[in-house]
Amino acid sequence: MIHYTPLSEYDIYPQQAEQFTNKHLLSIQGRSVYAERQQDGSYQVLQLLSTNPQDYMDETFSPGSIIG
């Protein structure tokens, strides 16, 4: 079986369930973002899910960015 997805294999088949509990799909400024919740309550962007190439030029949504 072939599974086509923009996610990595570790996101689909996590090693442990605890690794997946802090990761959320958020809608920020109308864009879908896959982010990890930090201990201080902010979110760190892991991946931007968009079909608009201009969204990837916005540094707000670059991987590693912190969203308060």
Side-chain angles (χ1 to χ4, degrees):
M1 179 173 104
I2 298 174
H3 187 84
Y4 293 101
T5 180
L7 302 175
S8 72
E9 66 180 272
Y10 302 109
D11 293 330
I12 298 170
Y13 307 110
Q15 299 294 325
Q16 299 173 1
E18 296 85 30
Q19 293 176 341
F20 202 67
T21 57
N22 288 338
K23 297 180 182 173
H24 304 279
L25 182 62
L26 305 173
S27 178
I28 300 172
Q29 298 177 4
R31 295 165 182 91
S32 295
V33 174
Y34 190 56
E36 183 174 22
R37 186 176 178 107
Q38 303 297 306
Q39 291 183 356
D40 63 354
S42 63
Y43 287 91
Q44 181 180 16
V45 175
L46 300 174
Q47 185 177 20
L48 172 65
L49 304 170
S50 176
T51 57
N52 185 353
Q54 289 294 0
D55 290 345
Y56 292 92
M57 300 303 290
D58 190 348
E59 291 183 12
T60 306
F61 304 108
S62 64
S65 297
I66 302 295
I67 299 173

